Amino acid sequence: MTAQVYPMTLEQESIWLDDQLSDGPSAYLEPWVLQLRGDVDRRAVHRAFAALVARHDALRSRFVLAGEEPVQIVEPAPADPPLPRMPCSPETVDACLRAFMRRPLDLGSGAVRAVLLEPDPDTVLLAVQLHHVVVDDWAFHTLDQEFAEFYRAFVAGRPPELAPAPPQPGPFALAQRSASSDPAALAYWRETLR
């Protein structure tokens, strides 16, 4: 399977451009941390994260210039996405999380980075840094629910019970760009916005 190239949605392009023009750390980095306690199945955590990445194109996207046009490149779902472990202790876990979340994120390499922290034998933290170009505040609820369902399903040895995946940004961007170049649509909006 090969990477798919799409135009960015108009919203993604605006965020991407602002991020490219800013000096210093990005204002668009979003933290997402899940805490699992008790008898945590570490393999199921890894499998649930891999399934989530496979389900959402945005989690496999990188954003680059192709000639003079910014594009979204959706990479194929890896069989085993990287989920490195970051050493920490109960005393250092907060500092480790802050250090991880402060690291710059290069959109040309990807808009998501994840790590596992295990401050004690009964606690696993899945820390994910996402760029706002691929996630809004509303999306975290979806990610929480889907990760939990994948995890429960893998622990129980059953198929996950999820609705079909939501619309993906790449095909939406194609439709959005097509509609924005339609002369009838442009005439409608010019008249409507007068």
Side-chain angles (χ1 to χ4, degrees), residues 22-136:
S22 68
D23 289 332
S26 175
Y28 292 105
L29 299 180
E30 303 277 355
W32 180 47
V33 181
L34 295 174
Q35 181 181 41
L36 295 92
R37 297 191 55 80
D39 186 18
V40 180
D41 183 333
R42 275 108 173 123
R43 181 67 190 139
V45 170
H46 195 250
R47 288 182 65 205
F49 181 70
L52 200 64
V53 168
R55 182 171 165 86
H56 295 280
D57 290 357
L59 301 181
R60 302 188 317 275
S61 293
R62 53 193 187 88
F63 298 83
V64 298
L65 274 178
E68 294 185 15
E69 293 296 319
V71 296
Q72 173 183 359
I73 300 174
V74 179
E75 298 294 344
D80 198 19
L83 195 50
R85 285 182 163 71
M86 177 183 270
C88 69
S89 67
E91 297 77 29
T92 64
V93 67
D94 289 341
C96 290
L97 279 171
R98 281 193 299 276
F100 173 73
M101 294 300 177
R102 286 185 186 140
R103 287 177 38 206
L105 191 61
D106 173 21
L107 286 175
S109 297
V112 177
R113 174 178 38 237
V115 68
L116 282 178
L117 294 93
E118 300 179 61
D120 63 63
D122 294 327
T123 306
V124 174
L125 299 171
L126 172 62
V128 184
Q129 184 187 57
L130 303 107
H131 197 281
H132 187 58
V133 76
V134 296
V135 70
D136 285 332

